[in-house]
Amino acid sequence: MYVGRFAPSPTGPLHAGSLVAALASWLDARAHEGRWLVRIEDVDKPRCSPEATHTILAQLHAHGLVPDVPPVLQSERDALYQQALDQLLAAGLAYPCACSRKEIAQVLATQGQGQQRHGELVYPGTCRPENGGLHGREARAWRLHVAACLQRDGLPAGALTHWQDRRLGPQSQRVAEAVGDFVLRRADGLWAYQLAVVVDDAAQGITDVVRGEDLTDNTARQIVLQRALGLPTPRYLHTTLVLGANGEKLSKQNAAEPLPEGGAAQCVANLQAAAVALGLPAVSAASPEAALRQWILPWKMQFG
Ligand code: GLU
């Protein structure tokens, strides 16, 4: 049974780009006669608000995008994430880390490596158990031991993780080298997106992840984590991104406008723009529901 999801972070109202992801995941679920869930990804508590959650759910509803079961909130699922971290620690696949950002930067500088990835430093492994652990310091964050995860599956530490995207085709990443031992629980006590998303996709029985192309780069990391936890890997489809007038991807960070509000006609127009971005035909419809129905078949032809 197909189960899909839309997983917005409630840092602000939906914008044109997030509606594309919502529409694509909804259409894919309907095209497969599956279920469509909404998961509110509010693990980053200081950046998220109950008001934004409320607004997003109301916006989805106004656009005819109604989840088949009530939405779940990640902020209420700490126990599940803790259980997953405990499992990884017990298996020797995760470890506590005492290093601050500054210390990590210093170690990398002495090694002549300033390797940065989207502003993230590739962790040099100072606190790995085989390097002496915390060295008597206090744990701040918890990290996945990527090399140990790969080796447990009989792969070399530098192995490529391969996966197939339903739109983009074959993908691969050398996770240990490109990303390194990524954080599962942050120094501020918050759960990292990677852990929460992997635990929840499995707990909710998600078979198909349909989301924006900006998240493609996270997939190999999530697959390594799924395997480490003994969880299944869903199928993935990363959709095109909607670019703003400046050619940059729309996001709350670059102040993408919230979706224009209004009645049914405005919602149909918003959906129309999202559908065209996905390569679907323009339709004429009096209600969002009527418009949505007309895109199921064209979506099936493209991605079914
Ligand atoms: N919460 C993430 C975001 O809003 C999406 C996560 C996902 O779909 O895997 O960017």
Side-chain angles (χ1 to χ4, degrees):
M1 165 77 168
Y2 179 111
V3 187
R5 60 23 166 223
F6 173 55
S9 304
T11 54
L14 293 181
H15 53 74
S18 34
L19 188 65
V20 170
L23 174 62
S25 61
W26 186 92
L27 284 172
D28 203 48
R30 291 296 169 259
H32 288 87
E33 284 154 33
R35 291 204 301 166
W36 185 68
L37 312 183
V38 170
R39 181 171 73 229
I40 299 295
E41 300 214 316
D42 55 352
V43 270
D44 193 346
K45 290 168 193 158
R47 290 184 55 233
C48 297
S49 74
E51 294 72 35
T53 297
H54 181 83
T55 304
I56 289 173
L57 294 176
Q59 286 175 303
L60 288 172
H61 200 269
H63 288 82
L65 301 168
V66 183
D68 294 323
V69 296
V72 301
L73 274 72
Q74 287 190 326
S75 55
E76 295 173 354
R77 294 162 75 82
D78 282 358
L80 273 180
Y81 310 140
Q82 186 64 53
Q83 217 174 54
L85 179 59
D86 289 345
Q87 184 185 333
L88 293 168
L89 288 167
L93 300 177
Y95 60 91
C97 173
C99 300
S100 66
R101 231 190 117 70
K102 201 170 146 200
E103 286 164 335
I104 296 171
Q106 276 165 357
V107 171
L108 290 172
T110 58
Q111 295 176 349
Q113 308 179 26
Q115 204 185 345
Q116 288 241 354
R117 181 184 182 78
H118 311 313
E120 282 295 312
L121 299 166
V122 173
Y123 185 61
T126 318
C127 293
R128 278 189 202 129
E130 66 270 27
N131 296 338
L134 292 168
H135 304 278
R137 299 178 300 164
E138 207 174 313
R140 291 163 50 91
W142 276 261
R143 294 180 179 277
L144 189 72
H145 195 316
V146 173
C149 294
L150 296 170
Q151 283 161 349
R152 199 189 59 153
D153 290 340
L155 299 165
L160 278 168
T161 295
H162 296 277
W163 57 281
Q164 185 75 22
D165 186 271
R166 288 170 51 203
R167 184 176 74 90
L168 302 168
Q171 307 286 315
S172 62
Q173 185 179 62
R174 249 179 250 291
V175 179
E177 183 187 305
V179 190
D181 290 354
F182 55 90
V183 169
L184 302 171
R185 186 175 186 154
R186 302 173 4 178
D188 54 13
L190 299 178
W191 296 103
Y193 157 66
Q194 309 295 352
L195 181 72
V197 84
V198 161
V199 167
D200 283 336
D201 281 341
Q204 296 186 284
I206 302 298
T207 60
D208 285 78
V209 170
V210 178
R211 60 186 178 191
E213 197 174 338
D214 54 323
L215 293 162
T216 313
D217 178 70
N218 295 283
T219 309
R221 241 173 298 177
Q222 292 173 11
I223 291 172
V224 171
L225 194 44
Q226 286 154 4
R227 290 178 183 158
L229 286 164
L231 301 173
T233 292
R235 284 182 296 259
Y236 288 96
L237 192 167
H238 290 85
T239 68
T240 46
L241 290 183
V242 177
L243 301 182
N246 57 2
E248 276 179 30
K249 113 174 164 86
L250 289 185
S251 71
K252 285 148 211 155
Q253 285 74 34
N254 70 14
E257 295 286 319
L259 284 172
E261 276 183 59
Q266 183 61 58
C267 290
V268 170
N270 295 342
L271 285 168
Q272 195 88 251
V276 169
L278 288 166
L280 298 167
V283 299
S284 89
S287 69
E289 290 76 10
L292 290 170
R293 275 197 296 275
Q294 296 181 61
W295 287 311
I296 297 174
L297 194 57
W299 176 274
K300 219 176 190 159
M301 312 278 285
Q302 235 189 109
F303 297 113

